[in-house]
Amino acid sequence: MNKAFCNSCGSLVPAQPRERDGKVILEKDCPQCGRNDTVISSDARRYMGKRALDSPFSYSGCSLDCLSCQHRKQPTFVFMDITNRCNQNCPICINNTPSMGFLFEPPLEYFDKILRHFSHYDPPPAVQLFGGEPTVRADMFEIIRMARSYGLPTRVVTNGLKLADRDYCRRLVDSRATILIAYDGCNPETYRVLRGSDRLLELKRRAFENLREFGAAKVAIMTCLAKGFNDGEMPSLLGFLHGRRSFVRGVYFLPLAQTWDLSEFDLKPERMSTEDIELMLAECFAGEEIDFVPAGVLGSLPTLMKYLRVKRPPFMGAHPNCESLYLLVSDGERYVPVSRYLKGSLSELVRALFGVEERLARRVARAQRSVPGRLLGAVGLRENYLALSAWLSVARALQRQARLSHVLKGRGIGKAWHALCALAGLLVGRSTRKVLERHSRFHEVLQIIVLPFEDHSVLETERLERCPNAFVFWDPADDRVKSVPTCAWPEHKAAVLKAISNYYGTAAAARTTAAPA
């Protein structure tokens, strides 16, 4: 049974999303307060369209008892708080860092316990360093090296201020960590109101130039969107990103959720949903189909993922109404929707891949029990045969779905010339990127991901139960590494971090006292 928090008493009560007047309402049935509602989507068509791409899931029933939960699945992505200090302290901070009232900055041994634990997972999860602001820790690079020594891919979430320093930026690029940098658009006024200083924009711009100079290759941005502040800046933001497409690979949009005390910061913006942001992007490309799909949709393609040897993406298997995904493609001059290169929509391409998955799964089953399949297995060729079959099946699906004439440059016979030149370039080993730039209108791809800001009133247990990402910590009470679904972390964060802080404070005091003896 899906549950959510009652708007009045805060109890966890039965809840279901319902379509009403073109929106989606989370109806909560509280035994004490009666029914109360929260709008969770401004566009029911888009919301339900993503749900239609979902695969069956067996729910165990969630009571938000995350610290002792026994049915958590193995996380694909783990978030690790390394400090609660920050060099910015925005008034809209979802982490409420300034109000915690204690310092959380455990020693390296704490992170070693966590990283060593996850190094035994197969496949190992990626680790994302969080805060606070991770770059304020003097030993952050040691934590990155430690994670990489355990074979764990590492990402750093930063406001980017320290990257305005050339030497520091070079060190971070050289660490080979993926960099996620907060960038709320090109208007200084947005930063003055939401972040507390309009000077931040200048520092962030300098950080981007440093990233370009030092050859950063794995960068994404995180953009918080707030109605009345930067919700009209999508076109200028896309232009900014296109100018940095050589190293910025994606953008995460976050709808602003009010998590602050109005007595301390007098701002109450209109609520935004995932679909509001999707519509903002659609308005940048009037007349074109911009249909987001669930970012976790690859969870419905396990056989294809296996035989194509695709690395598990961070949101694989998530609830269809959590993160949503779309792709923009550079045609050399600007970003355009990926649907421009398709005969149908992105959703239709996903459905075609569902068909490929179903047929491939049957082929795998036959190969495992048939005589020819067993013979191939005996000589070590069955997996190669199935991998080739997977690639050919996907290629046929793409051939049916793609508009190849829109991909190649030129007209008429000119397109055939570009096609031959592209094929020749690939055969002689030229860079795929260079070949595409020279002969096609399909250059760099920009991932657009919309994240749900899970404030208290929209938290749903069904979404949490399927969450493939988690905040992780080592619990000194029982010497165990534990995880909490990402969007449930705010419910537990302060108490968990304070207990860890107290433990290390007490342990440090005990060591200091014992030293003279």
Side-chain angles (χ1 to χ4, degrees):
M1 176 188 295
N2 192 31
K3 296 179 182 178
F5 290 112
C6 172
N7 294 347
S8 300
C9 68
S11 299
L12 198 61
V13 300
Q16 283 300 324
R18 308 284 187 194
E19 185 175 349
R20 195 191 306 165
D21 299 325
K23 299 180 180 180
V24 179
I25 312 297
L26 187 61
E27 295 183 352
K28 307 171 186 181
D29 187 14
C30 180
Q32 295 182 346
C33 308
R35 201 185 80 183
N36 52 90
D37 302 338
T38 300
V39 177
I40 56 174
S41 174
S42 60
D43 190 312
R45 182 184 67 84
R46 286 178 173 273
Y47 179 98
M48 296 300 181
K50 285 175 287 195
R51 184 161 284 212
L53 294 174
D54 194 19
S55 55
F57 184 84
S58 179
Y59 293 98
S60 303
C62 175
S63 59
L64 265 181
D65 186 18
C66 302
L67 302 184
S68 58
C69 178
Q70 298 301 311
H71 60 256
R72 282 283 298 140
K73 60 181 180 179
Q74 177 176 319
T76 303
F77 232 71
V78 297
F79 298 80
M80 192 167 64
D81 281 316
I82 67 172
T83 182
N84 66 349
R85 289 190 297 132
C86 187
N87 55 357
Q88 190 171 315
N89 290 331
C90 307
I92 63 169
C93 180
I94 191 172
N95 290 319
N96 294 317
T97 302
S99 63
M100 281 190 174
F102 61 90
L103 175 65
F104 176 79
E105 202 149 305
L108 290 174
E109 66 182 59
Y110 167 83
F111 302 108
D112 185 69
K113 294 174 188 291
I114 297 172
L115 297 171
R116 186 170 64 252
H117 171 84
F118 284 107
S119 70
H120 298 298
Y121 280 39
D122 185 21
V127 175
Q128 190 153 290
L129 306 188
F130 225 73
E133 168 56 38
T135 62
V136 302
R137 274 195 74 126
D139 58 359
M140 185 192 74
F141 292 103
E142 293 181 53
I143 298 173
I144 294 173
R145 283 193 292 271
M146 185 186 295
R148 294 186 64 85
S149 74
Y150 282 119
L152 302 173
T154 310
R155 294 156 59 112
V156 176
V157 179
T158 175
N159 57 31
L161 301 188
K162 292 196 71 169
L163 276 64
D165 178 272
R166 293 179 74 257
D167 290 338
Y168 191 92
C169 186
R170 182 193 289 111
R171 288 184 68 195
L172 187 55
V173 171
D174 289 346
S175 77
R176 294 167 38 195
T178 299
I179 301 167
L180 280 74
I181 182 170
Y183 187 78
D184 297 329
C186 308
N187 188 348
E189 183 66 8
T190 299
Y191 296 90
R192 186 188 69 78
V193 176
L194 300 183
R195 302 295 184 180
S197 171
D198 57 6
R199 183 173 174 269
L200 298 175
L201 178 57
E202 175 191 341
L203 295 173
K204 290 171 184 284
R205 288 288 185 96
R206 198 182 305 163
F208 279 107
E209 294 315 305
N210 288 340
L211 289 167
R212 189 206 304 270
E213 178 183 352
F214 298 124
K218 298 183 291 184
V219 177
I221 72 163
M222 300 174 300
T223 299
C224 183
L225 289 174
K227 282 194 176 181
F229 291 93
N230 59 348
D231 52 331
E233 293 185 33
M234 190 81 78
S236 62
L237 178 65
L238 293 179
F240 174 83
L241 295 176
H242 191 263
R244 291 147 185 84
R245 64 191 182 279
S246 63
F247 62 96
V248 178
R249 306 302 185 191
V251 54
Y252 294 85
F253 286 115
L254 303 91
L256 178 63
Q258 182 190 325
T259 59
W260 56 87
D261 187 337
L262 287 173
S263 66
E264 297 177 0
F265 183 54
D266 187 16
L267 178 70
K268 193 171 185 178
E270 184 180 342
R271 289 183 64 86
M272 296 174 66
S273 68
T274 297
E275 286 70 33
D276 283 313
I277 295 179
E278 293 177 10
L279 289 167
M280 287 178 195
L281 184 72
E283 288 171 2
C284 297
F285 305 99
E288 301 206 44
E289 179 74 13
I290 307 292
D291 63 323
F292 280 72
V293 299
V297 76
L298 289 181
S300 301
L301 306 171
T303 317
L304 267 177
M305 292 280 290
K306 175 182 176 181
Y307 288 102
L308 295 180
R309 295 183 174 87
V310 176
K311 186 172 68 173
R312 292 198 310 170
F315 305 110
M316 180 174 169
H319 190 282
N321 297 122
C322 284
E323 299 81 8
S324 62
L325 166 71
Y326 193 71
L327 301 174
L328 297 179
V329 179
S330 170
D331 65 1
E333 297 180 3
R334 64 186 66 83
Y335 282 124
V336 299
V338 70
S339 56
R340 190 171 294 185
Y341 302 94
L342 300 174
K343 294 175 183 176
S345 65
L346 185 58
S347 296
E348 289 171 340
L349 174 60
V350 168
R351 290 190 183 94
L353 292 177
F354 286 167
V356 173
E357 166 72 19
E358 185 178 342
R359 291 189 293 274
L360 182 63
R362 290 199 298 265
R363 192 170 297 132
V364 169
R366 286 197 301 270
Q368 290 172 340
R369 64 174 182 263
S370 67
V371 173
R374 289 177 181 175
L375 289 174
L376 285 172
V379 295
L381 293 177
R382 183 167 61 195
E383 296 299 292
N384 292 341
Y385 157 73
L386 292 171
L388 177 62
S389 180
W391 279 109
L392 291 175
S393 298
V394 170
R396 284 195 294 269
L398 290 175
Q399 183 182 25
R400 290 192 293 268
Q401 294 288 325
R403 289 177 171 172
L404 294 179
S405 62
H406 287 215
V407 173
L408 295 168
K409 288 183 177 179
R411 295 182 179 179
I413 195 169
K415 285 190 182 295
W417 169 253
H418 279 291
L420 287 172
C421 289
L423 180 60
L426 293 173
L427 288 175
V428 299
R430 288 184 182 163
S431 157
T432 302
R433 180 176 174 182
K434 295 291 185 184
V435 168
L436 290 176
E437 286 179 353
R438 188 179 180 100
H439 301 292
S440 84
R441 295 189 178 90
F442 192 102
H443 299 181
E444 294 85 355
V445 175
L446 182 74
Q447 263 195 356
I448 306 287
I449 294 177
V450 184
L451 303 174
F453 243 6
E454 292 283 10
D455 56 343
H456 195 75
S457 63
V458 298
L459 209 64
E460 295 179 74
T461 57
E462 283 191 356
R463 293 207 278 172
L464 292 175
E465 194 170 334
R466 293 178 61 171
C467 184
N469 305 326
F471 273 87
V472 297
F473 62 96
W474 173 72
D475 189 345
D478 55 10
D479 190 23
R480 290 175 56 200
V481 173
K482 298 179 180 179
S483 62
V484 173
T486 306
C487 294
W489 183 232
E491 303 294 321
H492 306 280
K493 176 176 180 173
V496 168
L497 298 191
K498 187 170 185 179
I500 296 167
S501 180
N502 288 342
Y503 170 80
Y504 281 107
T506 303
R511 285 195 295 268
T512 301
T513 303

